[in-house]
Amino acid sequence: MPPLPSDDALPDLPGHEAADLARGRLPSNRGGGAMSVVDDLHRARQAYERREWVAAYRALSDLDDTHLQADDFAALAITAFLLGRRNDCVQALQRAHQAELGENDTLGAVRAAYWLAMTLWQGGEAAISNGWMARGERLLEGVSEDVVERGYLLERATFGHVANGEFAEAAAAAPKVTEYGRRFGDPDLTAMGLHMEGRLTIFSGQVADGLRLLDEAMVWVLAGEVSPIFSGVIYCSCVEACQQVSDFGRMGEWTHALTLWCDSQPGLVAFTGQCAVHRGQLMRLHGAYRDAISELEQAAGRYAAAGGSPAVGQAHYERGETLRIGGEYDAAEAAYTEAAEYGHPAQPGRALLWLARGRPDAASAAIHRVVAEVQDPVHRSQMLAAAVDVLVEVGELEDAASLADQLCGFGSAFGCTALQAAGEYARASVAIARAEAEDALAAARSGADAWARLSAPYEVARCRVLIGRALRLLGDAESAAAELAEARRAFAGLGAAPAEHDVTVLLGDARAPGGLSPREIEVLRLVATGKSNPEIAAALVLSEKTVARHLSNIFAKLDVRSRTAAAAFAFEHHVV
């Protein structure tokens, strides 16, 4: 937060009023006299120092520009930014820049140019932002000594490299930003540099090292050494990084801290949208779906109050994911569409929706495209679990197995529990489809334990379904039924209607797919495990002739001509 001028630097008074003060008389306040201006400016500066943003903004806005100094304009800009008044922020920064030039304060003018570049870039006005960067660099050409302002412009240049996909250049520049901050004892620049180093290190796949750098940056913020805008940027960026690598434990800690930070500043608009998105993500993880949808809708509203943001697309995508789990497919499709309109990818969630709506070909095509396009480890780790789900359902088991192994590899490399749990579920899913019961059982149990540590009831229930299916393949029907029944109770409690229905079918308590009878379902399950007719007869205590008749009926109802095709149907419809 820029220091404001002391009260000794309050505006000069007209000559006759100065003389009155010298004689010990106060000038009249009628018509907004000079003493009123002095008092108002003093109150405005005090409100700013107390971080009472609404009061400071109103007080500074009400004063005539002729009474404000460059630092007052900078304070007005910061309060406007934090209150979501972006246009007012830009205008105040432009006035600050001109005031600094008028006072021959080149470095102050560079600072104002930096803030303009950052604010305009965040608002999507990249060309104008670049213009202010160029002006700041031009002003520094006349400064011979090394100054911290060079570090600030380097920070913006580093973000420019990231935006242009020049990650090697960004990775080389970020440590220099941190060094500028340390050398000049500037907490804002130091913390921003560490935060950028951390994000770029994570992006390179060195997740543990990157998270340590983010933790170090957050220490500066939590110690109260970083100014408000930089604090908000670092808070939101660190939480986002944790979400991207599925480090939900750390994400929960930082989201809680961010929520407290936002709540401590009444009237704050900036950063509250992203805070709400991350709270919504955690609510979904913990199974509070109605609360999650409400929080995500509020997030979109907060982004709108702040003048809009491409990040609103993420709020809609997360809302779509929550609605899809609850079976509200039309609403989920609308949410994915809104996400795409704001520039946020609608995949892989939309592919899972298409699969649920009986469009396997569309789902498979979309997943293959996404898998080919997304190559960096962070973003790839986010979509592999859904890709395996789709490919297993459409029977592309070799590709599914390969992606499941990749997901497990990311889980080991990143060291994040949720990613490891997702990898175990993916492996179990592939193993079930291959009728590899023992491997499926071990992986599904491992996944369930990991998800339970994260208090993720939906994911635990999904693992229990695979445990039940594996036990059924192993011939332990009673234990299988118990696992499936527990999963169904969990899905019902969460309001996850599609998953509840699928388990109901597995338990034989609903109309079976293909119109099969309960006995035909039993026969089909054993066919899918590779049992011969004599083996099925022995298992079900039937004659071989009866088994053959059941099998003939199954083929007719499913319109298939071979045991292999019947087994494929069984796996596709979770009969096994």
Side-chain angles (χ1 to χ4, degrees):
M1 198 160 57
L4 289 176
S6 67
D7 287 344
D8 293 338
L10 287 166
D12 292 335
L13 303 176
H16 69 280
E17 293 181 343
D20 284 340
L21 283 175
R23 298 186 188 99
R25 295 198 300 269
L26 293 177
S28 169
N29 286 336
R30 288 179 298 175
M35 199 62 206
S36 174
V37 171
V38 170
D39 289 342
D40 289 345
L41 190 51
H42 177 69
R43 282 193 291 271
R45 290 173 176 174
Q46 284 189 322
Y48 179 82
E49 293 296 342
R50 290 194 300 267
R51 301 193 175 193
E52 296 172 356
W53 307 126
V54 175
Y57 173 80
R58 288 174 177 168
L60 289 167
S61 297
D62 288 343
L63 288 164
D64 189 278
D65 287 0
T66 59
H67 298 128
L68 301 181
Q69 300 181 30
D71 287 335
D72 294 318
F73 284 122
L76 175 58
I78 287 175
T79 58
F81 183 100
L82 294 171
L83 297 177
R85 298 175 176 269
R86 184 177 164 278
N87 290 337
D88 290 349
C89 172
V90 171
Q91 292 176 16
L93 286 171
Q94 290 171 339
R95 292 191 183 101
H97 179 76
Q98 292 301 321
E100 299 285 14
L101 290 176
E103 296 171 10
N104 294 317
D105 186 346
T106 300
L107 297 182
V110 172
R111 285 283 188 127
Y114 163 82
W115 281 105
L116 278 161
M118 186 179 81
T119 304
L120 291 162
W121 182 81
Q122 288 183 341
E125 299 181 67
I128 305 175
S129 171
N130 291 338
W132 279 105
M133 274 287 292
R135 174 172 285 196
E137 291 165 353
R138 182 67 59 87
L139 287 168
L140 279 180
E141 289 177 0
V143 179
S144 58
E145 67 270 23
D146 194 19
V147 291
V148 73
E149 285 72 17
R150 297 188 194 279
Y152 277 92
L153 294 187
L154 181 59
E155 184 267 346
R156 279 295 91 198
T158 305
F159 269 103
H161 287 312
V162 172
N164 293 330
E166 300 162 353
F167 299 111
E169 292 84 348
K176 297 177 183 177
V177 174
T178 308
E179 177 55 30
Y180 263 103
R182 294 191 192 282
R183 190 160 73 250
F184 287 93
D186 189 309
D188 284 352
L189 198 58
T190 303
M192 283 295 287
L194 286 167
H195 138 259
M196 287 193 300
E197 286 189 72
R199 291 299 300 266
L200 289 162
T201 302
I202 289 172
F203 192 75
S204 73
Q206 302 173 58
V207 173
D209 291 340
L211 290 172
R212 278 193 290 271
L213 286 164
L214 293 186
D215 287 345
E216 186 178 355
M218 285 298 303
V219 167
W220 288 82
V221 174
L222 294 174
E225 298 170 305
V226 180
S227 63
I229 293 179
F230 286 124
S231 292
V233 168
I234 293 168
Y235 262 126
C236 291
S237 183
C238 288
V239 173
E240 181 182 56
C242 294
Q243 183 266 329
Q244 287 182 339
V245 297
S246 302
D247 188 344
F248 294 124
R250 190 182 256 103
M251 177 185 172
E253 290 183 36
W254 292 138
T255 299
H256 178 67
L258 173 58
T259 300
L260 294 177
W261 182 80
C262 290
D263 290 346
S264 71
Q265 302 171 81
L268 183 71
V269 173
F271 312 115
T272 58
Q274 191 159 358
C275 184
V277 168
H278 296 314
R279 281 200 301 269
Q281 290 169 329
L282 290 169
M283 289 171 182
R284 176 162 66 85
L285 173 73
H286 299 314
Y289 296 142
R290 288 296 106 192
D291 291 341
I293 290 171
S294 175
E295 193 71 30
L296 292 164
E297 288 172 346
Q298 289 182 41
R302 286 168 176 157
Y303 279 128
S309 167
V312 73
Q314 185 181 27
H316 289 304
Y317 180 82
E318 294 293 339
R319 193 164 55 86
E321 291 287 86
T322 310
L323 291 164
R324 176 179 57 79
I325 290 171
E328 299 179 53
Y329 292 156
D330 289 342
E333 182 64 65
Y336 290 137
T337 298
E338 287 186 272
E341 288 173 351
Y342 280 96
H344 191 283
Q347 298 295 359
R350 183 173 263 166
L352 291 171
L353 178 62
W354 289 340
L355 189 67
R357 302 192 96 165
R359 300 179 59 196
D361 292 343
S364 175
I367 283 300
H368 281 295
R369 175 183 59 79
V370 172
V371 167
E373 290 176 352
V374 180
Q375 294 297 321
D376 71 271
V378 171
H379 292 96
R380 193 171 178 83
S381 72
Q382 288 186 289
M383 47 73 59
L384 286 179
V388 173
D389 283 350
V390 170
L391 296 178
V392 166
E393 285 295 322
V394 300
E396 299 180 39
L397 297 186
E398 290 304 315
D399 287 344
S402 174
L403 295 184
D405 288 342
Q406 285 185 38
L407 183 55
C408 289
F410 285 137
S412 298
F414 292 7
C416 299
T417 301
L419 211 55
Q420 294 167 348
E424 292 294 340
Y425 178 90
R427 276 186 171 165
S429 181
V430 172
I432 285 288
R434 289 173 164 173
E436 298 168 352
E438 293 182 355
D439 290 345
L441 184 61
R445 282 175 170 166
S446 178
D449 290 343
W451 284 122
R453 292 197 297 274
L454 293 171
S455 301
Y458 179 76
E459 300 299 341
V460 171
R462 292 181 77 214
C463 289
R464 297 194 81 154
V465 171
L466 295 186
I467 292 171
R469 293 175 68 186
L471 289 170
R472 181 174 282 171
L473 284 172
L474 291 169
D476 188 352
E478 292 298 320
S479 297
E483 290 288 344
L484 293 171
E486 185 59 37
R488 181 168 63 176
R489 281 192 291 271
F491 290 138
L494 292 168
E500 181 189 1
H501 172 76
D502 288 345
V503 180
T504 298
V505 171
L506 278 173
L507 286 166
D509 295 337
R511 185 176 182 274
L516 300 178
S517 69
R519 178 61 83 180
E520 288 166 350
I521 288 290
E522 290 180 321
V523 172
L524 180 58
R525 284 173 182 156
L526 293 172
V527 168
T529 64
K531 302 292 186 184
S532 65
N533 282 13
E535 289 171 325
I536 295 172
L540 299 179
V541 193
L542 299 172
S543 69
E544 291 186 38
K545 183 177 180 180
T546 300
V547 171
R549 186 174 69 252
H550 282 313
L551 197 54
S552 176
N553 291 337
I554 290 169
F555 284 7
K557 288 181 179 181
L558 301 185
D559 192 23
V560 297
R561 297 183 179 182
S562 68
R563 300 172 81 94
T564 301
F569 178 93
F571 285 115
E572 182 178 346
H573 291 83
H574 302 306
V575 171
V576 179

